[in-house]
């Protein structure tokens, strides 16, 4: 993988929660993109990968390693340029997988997290398994 | 929705019919019944109820206060369906004392149905969602990304928030936020969405998109009254 994440690349946020998407409209909810307590949203770079390869990463490196493993339900894909547009950054963090990265640079003001996550969710594409 | 059991009520020697009603056992809490005329109120610790008997013509015959079990509460609802039309009070229980005095403790368990027939029961469906979210997300890392556990005070605040929502607003969808909060979302279409969340800290935080160029976000103090800005923004979204 290139060290720098290109704005034209897409990244995937894997989803194990039914409440993170709207099945009626097949759209992503903002919760899926909210950062964790360390101010990071974990994503995977999916350039040059097919659907099944992407989901396999999600299963092996996200869903199956949860303390109480849950089935992988799908993923939210977003083009990196749309993340950068919100003054966020996508920083490669090749652990536990070479394609792993984090969306970082979330504002100190946590009230802004919701609105930014809403904007990211609006620009993301939902891909459900099956 | 946890099924508490099922029962058939015998009254004056006749089998009464089954009445649909709504109650949910919520761990240490119980969603139970509200009789607008004679509220059935349960309090943490004391676990006392104003137990109302209603006569054949709906006339209040006596009131006694006693410790009751969920079965008693549900039977009260079945026996007096007209005087207890809406089940939306949150009673807080300590489970350990449920084995206390119970008029109906020797009868079959009760079946709790979730088939609202009246418009005013519409919020009951959301109670169930809130509870399911609380139950599923009250442990750390419930989303696989290090999410914070949703605390009981967030659950209680979400129920309070739901109770305060005016009935003229569309029903929200409920979901968890990895910050340990419970979210109410109103979604109209792409780029038109408004969300609020509570985490048991007497604060409602909110954010909304109203088309490509309009947005709002912020936080409001929340205690007993619904902040006006919540209603305004939901109406803005749908109007």
């Amino acid at each position: 993988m290139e060290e720098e994440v290109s704005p034209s690349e897409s990244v995937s946020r894997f989803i194990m929660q039914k409440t993170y998407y709207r099945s009626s409209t097949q759209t992503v909810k903002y919760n899926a993109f909210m950062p964790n307590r360390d101010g990071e949203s974990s994503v995977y770079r999916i350039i040059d990968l097919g659907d099944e390869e992407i989901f396999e990463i999600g299963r092996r490196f996200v869903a199956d390693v949860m303390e109480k493993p849950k089935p992988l339900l799908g993923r939210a894909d977003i083009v990196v340029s749309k993340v950068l547009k919100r003054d966020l950054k996508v920083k490669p963090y090749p652990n536990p997988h070479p394609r792993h990265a984090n969306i970082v640079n979330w504002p100190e003001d946590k009230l802004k997290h919701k609105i930014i996550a809403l904007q990211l969710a609006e620009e993301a594409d939902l891909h459900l398994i099956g | 929705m946890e099924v508490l059991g099922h029962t058939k009520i015998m009254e004056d020697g006749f089998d009464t019919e089954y009445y649909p009603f709504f109650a949910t056992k919520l761990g240490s809490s119980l969603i139970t019944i509200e009789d607008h005329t004679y509220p059935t109120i349960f309090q943490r610790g004391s676990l006392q109820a104003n137990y109302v008997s209603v006569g054949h013509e709906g006339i209040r015959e006596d009131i006694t206060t006693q410790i009751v079990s969920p079965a008693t509460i549900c039977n009260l609802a079945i026996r007096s369906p007209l005087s207890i039309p809406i089940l939306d009070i949150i009673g807080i229980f300590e489970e350990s004392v449920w084995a206390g005095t119970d008029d109906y403790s020797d009868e079959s368990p009760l079946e709790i149905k979730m088939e609202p027939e009246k418009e005013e029961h519409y919020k009951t469906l959301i109670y169930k969602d809130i509870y399911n979210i609380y139950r599923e997300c009250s442990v750390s890392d419930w989303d696989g990304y290090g999410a914070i556990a949703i605390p009981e005070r967030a659950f209680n605040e979400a129920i309070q928030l739901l109770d305060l929502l005016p009935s003229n607003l569309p029903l929200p969808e409920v979901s968890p936020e990895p910050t340990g909060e419970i979210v109410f979302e109103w979604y109209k279409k792409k780029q038109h969405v408004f969300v609020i969340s509570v985490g048991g800290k007497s604060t409602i935080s909110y954010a909304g998109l109203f088309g490509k160029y309009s947005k709002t976000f912020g936080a409001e103090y929340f205690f007993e009254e619904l902040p006006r800005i919540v209603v305004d923004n939901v109406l803005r979204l749908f109007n």
Side-chain angles (χ1 to χ4, degrees), chain B residues 50-55 59-64 66:
Chain B
N50 293 323
Y51 191 103
V52 181
S53 294
V54 180
I59 298 168
R60 179 169 156 176
E61 290 181 338
D62 62 77
I63 297 177
T64 56
Q66 61 190 79

Side-chain angles (χ1 to χ4, degrees), chain A residues 14 17 29-31 114 122, chain B residues 173 176-177 190-191 197:
Chain A
F14 292 110
Q17 294 289 322
K29 291 186 178 181
Y30 83 97
N31 329 38
K114 258 190 185 58
E122 285 295 311
Chain B
E173 265 194 37
E177 192 177 276
K190 199 166 174 58
Q191 301 280 2
S197 66

Side-chain angles (χ1 to χ4, degrees), chain A residues 31-47:
Chain A
N31 329 38
F33 282 101
M34 286 289 282
N36 63 16
R37 66 185 86 192
D38 298 322
E40 298 168 340
S41 301
S42 169
V43 291
Y44 283 80
R45 302 166 70 181
I46 58 171
I47 187 167

Side-chain angles (χ1 to χ4, degrees), chain A:
Chain A
M1 295 296 300
E2 294 287 326
E3 266 194 28
E4 291 297 312
V5 180
S6 160
S8 60
E9 279 185 50
S10 286
V11 290
S12 280
R13 175 81 161 168
F14 292 110
I15 296 175
M16 282 74 65
Q17 294 289 322
K18 280 184 184 169
T19 48
Y20 275 7
Y21 60 87
R22 305 177 196 94
S23 10
S24 55
T25 54
Q26 296 281 295
T27 49
V28 184
K29 291 186 178 181
Y30 83 97
N31 329 38
F33 282 101
M34 286 289 282
N36 63 16
R37 66 185 86 192
D38 298 322
E40 298 168 340
S41 301
S42 169
V43 291
Y44 283 80
R45 302 166 70 181
I46 58 171
I47 187 167
D48 296 332
L49 292 182
D51 249 15
E52 198 38 54
E53 290 170 296
I54 299 170
F55 284 133
E56 190 54 28
I57 291 175
R59 282 189 200 97
R60 286 184 57 198
F61 295 94
V62 185
D64 290 353
V65 298
M66 290 175 71
E67 200 170 313
K68 286 185 179 174
K70 290 182 179 177
L72 179 68
L73 301 176
R75 65 180 205 263
D77 291 355
I78 187 164
V79 179
V80 169
S81 62
K82 293 178 177 174
V83 178
L84 304 180
K85 195 167 76 180
R86 306 294 168 201
D87 291 331
L88 301 172
K89 293 177 180 170
V90 182
K91 191 175 165 186
Y93 188 83
N95 181 28
H97 188 279
R99 288 178 175 269
H100 183 247
N102 285 319
I103 299 177
V104 297
N105 208 36
W106 291 84
E108 294 272 316
D109 180 1
K110 290 189 175 177
L111 288 179
K112 292 180 180 169
H113 292 184
K114 258 190 185 58
I115 191 72
I116 294 172
L118 272 176
Q119 290 166 322
L120 294 182
E122 285 295 311
E123 306 209 85
D125 292 317
L126 179 67
H127 298 264
L128 294 177
I129 293 178

Side-chain angles (χ1 to χ4, degrees), chain B residues 15-73:
Chain B
D15 287 358
T16 59
E17 59 184 298
Y18 286 97
Y19 291 102
F21 69 98
F22 312 94
T24 302
K25 185 168 174 285
L26 302 176
S28 62
S29 306
L30 182 78
I31 291 179
T32 165
I33 328 157
E34 180 177 4
D35 170 356
H36 285 298
T37 315
Y38 315 118
T40 305
I41 301 168
F42 299 89
Q43 299 171 334
R44 185 191 289 274
S46 69
L47 287 172
Q48 291 183 329
N50 293 323
Y51 191 103
V52 181
S53 294
V54 180
H56 289 298
E57 295 176 0
I59 298 168
R60 179 169 156 176
E61 290 181 338
D62 62 77
I63 297 177
T64 56
T65 300
Q66 61 190 79
I67 293 174
V68 294
S69 73
T72 299
I73 301 161

Side-chain angles (χ1 to χ4, degrees), chain B residues 5-234:
Chain B
H6 65 275
T7 193
K8 185 186 285 184
I9 300 297
M10 295 286 288
E11 194 168 11
D12 297 334
F14 295 98
D15 287 358
T16 59
E17 59 184 298
Y18 286 97
Y19 291 102
F21 69 98
F22 312 94
T24 302
K25 185 168 174 285
L26 302 176
S28 62
S29 306
L30 182 78
I31 291 179
T32 165
I33 328 157
E34 180 177 4
D35 170 356
H36 285 298
T37 315
Y38 315 118
T40 305
I41 301 168
F42 299 89
Q43 299 171 334
R44 185 191 289 274
S46 69
L47 287 172
Q48 291 183 329
N50 293 323
Y51 191 103
V52 181
S53 294
V54 180
H56 289 298
E57 295 176 0
I59 298 168
R60 179 169 156 176
E61 290 181 338
D62 62 77
I63 297 177
T64 56
T65 300
Q66 61 190 79
I67 293 174
V68 294
S69 73
T72 299
I73 301 161
C74 297
N75 281 335
L76 185 62
I78 291 175
R79 288 165 65 95
S80 306
L82 297 178
S83 63
I84 307 175
I86 299 175
L87 310 169
D88 62 4
I89 279 187
I90 305 304
I92 308 297
F93 280 81
E94 299 293 341
E95 287 202 56
S96 58
V97 298
W98 279 5
T101 308
D102 177 6
D103 284 354
Y104 303 94
S105 57
D106 60 344
E107 67 190 14
S108 303
L110 294 152
E111 181 174 355
I112 308 304
K113 298 179 180 180
M114 274 299 296
E115 297 166 3
E117 291 185 338
K118 294 181 180 177
E119 196 177 324
E120 55 263 43
H121 289 152
Y122 75 109
K123 285 183 182 175
T124 309
L125 299 167
I126 310 294
Y127 285 138
K128 174 187 160 192
D129 291 342
I130 293 173
Y131 173 59
N132 285 339
I133 285 166
Y134 169 59
R135 188 174 58 177
E136 189 183 339
C137 306
S138 55
V139 293
S140 296
D141 193 31
W142 47 263
D143 69 346
Y145 295 114
I148 296 169
I150 292 179
E152 184 173 345
R153 61 180 185 277
F155 165 74
N156 290 331
E157 211 167 68
I159 295 293
Q160 185 191 5
L161 177 57
L162 178 62
D163 282 342
L164 290 172
L165 287 181
S167 57
N168 63 327
L169 294 187
L171 276 180
E173 265 194 37
V174 186
S175 60
E177 192 177 276
T179 54
E181 301 196 345
I182 295 177
V183 180
F184 288 23
E185 179 192 88
W186 289 267
Y187 181 81
K188 185 179 180 185
K189 59 182 180 181
K190 199 166 174 58
Q191 301 280 2
H192 291 75
V193 58
F194 182 67
V195 297
I196 60 178
S197 66
V198 288
K201 298 172 184 169
S202 302
T203 301
I204 290 181
S205 57
Y206 63 90
L209 298 173
F210 305 92
K212 201 170 178 182
Y213 303 105
S214 300
K215 64 182 181 185
T216 185
F217 64 92
E220 289 282 331
Y221 179 65
F222 175 49
F223 182 71
E224 294 187 349
E225 284 187 17
L226 187 65
R228 178 75 210 172
I229 198 162
V230 170
V231 177
D232 288 347
N233 276 307
V234 176

